[in-house]
């Protein structure tokens, strides 16, 4: 009887915690590292996994590097094999907190927040703080953020022959709707 009661209690507690979490597996990351006058270096990843704890304001993102799609297959191959080494470092992650987040404050118009946390790419981690816009949407909560990362911070080596054609400053745009 005690075991059944304990299992029931654990189930109820897990259900309560689940109501505080919103997630999506269809977040989008746009990646851009172009240099003017050269061919655009950009990719899109539509398989971003995002989890938001609405009570604590914690947020996490995870994606597989091989999910980035380039217009040119050769760029995608070089990106995975030579730059991000996606067989050795298959995913990128972010875990952080949305500063001053309160679900009750959100409306259909965007509100500005800062997200602070640790991003891990290519086996290297860096603490970052980025601006984000969050609003209520008919489907849930919408989050949009744009920020720039430096490839040097993640030990991503760009071969000398193409160094002048690819920016070390990579602009990322993240879009997700939490449900």
């Amino acid at each position: 009887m005690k075991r059944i009661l304990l299992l029931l209690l654990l189930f109820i507690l897990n259900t309560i915690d689940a109501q505080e979490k919103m997630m999506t597996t269809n977040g989008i990351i746009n990646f851009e590292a172009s240099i003017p006058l050269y061919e655009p270096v950009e990719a899109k990843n539509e398989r971003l996994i995002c989890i938001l704890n609405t009570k604590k304001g914690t947020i996490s993102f995870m994606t597989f590097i091989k999910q980035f799609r380039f217009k040119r297959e050769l760029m995608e191959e070089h990106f995975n094999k030579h730059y991000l080494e996606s067989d050795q470092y298959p995913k990128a992650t972010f875990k952080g907190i949305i500063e001053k987040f309160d679900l009750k404050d959100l409306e259909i118009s965007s509100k500005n927040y800062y997200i602070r946390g640790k991003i891990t790419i290519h086996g290297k981690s860096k603490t970052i703080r980025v601006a984000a816009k969050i609003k209520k949407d008919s489907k849930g909560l919408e989050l949009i953020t744009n920020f720039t990362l430096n490839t040097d911070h993640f030990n991503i080596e760009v071969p000398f022959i193409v160094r002048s054609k690819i920016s070390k400053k990579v602009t990322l745009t993240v879009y997700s709707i939490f449900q």
Side-chain angles (χ1 to χ4, degrees):
M1 181 68 174
K2 288 182 183 180
R3 286 184 183 178
I4 293 173
L5 185 59
L6 181 62
L7 288 172
L8 182 60
L9 183 60
L10 287 173
F11 177 75
I12 290 170
L13 289 174
N14 190 36
T15 304
I16 291 169
D17 187 45
Q19 292 173 349
E20 296 171 357
K21 291 182 182 174
M22 300 178 83
M23 73 172 292
T24 184
T25 56
N26 297 317
I28 299 169
I29 304 174
N30 289 309
F31 160 99
E32 201 264 328
S34 301
I35 296 283
L37 305 176
Y38 289 102
E39 184 174 12
V41 179
E42 51 193 22
K44 188 176 200 175
N45 182 331
E46 296 181 352
R47 300 280 187 238
L48 178 65
I49 300 166
C50 316
I51 300 172
L52 170 65
N53 182 314
T54 57
K55 187 171 185 176
K56 298 177 183 176
T58 58
I59 191 164
S60 60
F61 297 93
M62 193 280 295
T63 195
F64 290 100
I65 300 300
K66 286 187 177 182
Q67 295 294 325
F68 280 94
R69 298 295 174 243
F70 290 77
K71 289 182 182 176
R72 293 192 50 212
E73 195 173 305
L74 186 60
M75 274 190 190
E76 191 170 315
E77 182 181 329
H78 287 296
F79 175 80
N80 283 298
K81 189 174 181 181
H82 302 296
Y83 307 137
L84 272 297
E85 301 172 287
S86 58
D87 286 335
Q88 186 175 355
Y89 308 104
K91 62 184 177 179
T93 61
F94 175 83
K95 291 183 181 182
I97 189 162
I98 304 170
E99 297 175 359
K100 300 177 184 176
F101 179 80
D102 190 341
L103 185 61
K104 293 178 275 181
D105 292 342
L106 293 178
E107 300 174 356
I108 55 174
S109 58
S110 294
K111 185 170 182 184
N112 295 319
Y113 289 93
Y114 282 99
I115 302 174
R116 176 181 35 87
K118 186 184 289 188
I119 189 166
T120 303
I121 302 170
H122 198 243
K124 302 294 177 194
S125 296
K126 179 168 177 43
T127 300
I128 61 172
R129 185 174 183 251
V130 299
K133 292 184 181 288
I134 304 174
K135 70 177 184 175
K136 284 187 179 177
D137 182 89
S138 61
K139 299 175 190 171
L141 295 182
E142 178 186 270
L143 178 141
I144 299 173
T145 183
N146 298 302
F147 57 97
T148 302
L149 297 175
N150 188 322
T151 58
D152 289 341
H153 295 153
F154 301 97
N155 291 345
I156 299 169
E157 292 293 325
V158 178
F160 181 76
I161 196 163
V162 293
R163 202 168 287 160
S164 64
K165 298 177 182 180
I166 300 173
S167 177
K168 285 183 172 272
K169 303 283 186 187
V170 177
T171 302
L172 298 166
T173 302
V174 178
Y175 173 82
S176 60
I177 295 184
F178 295 92
Q179 299 175 350

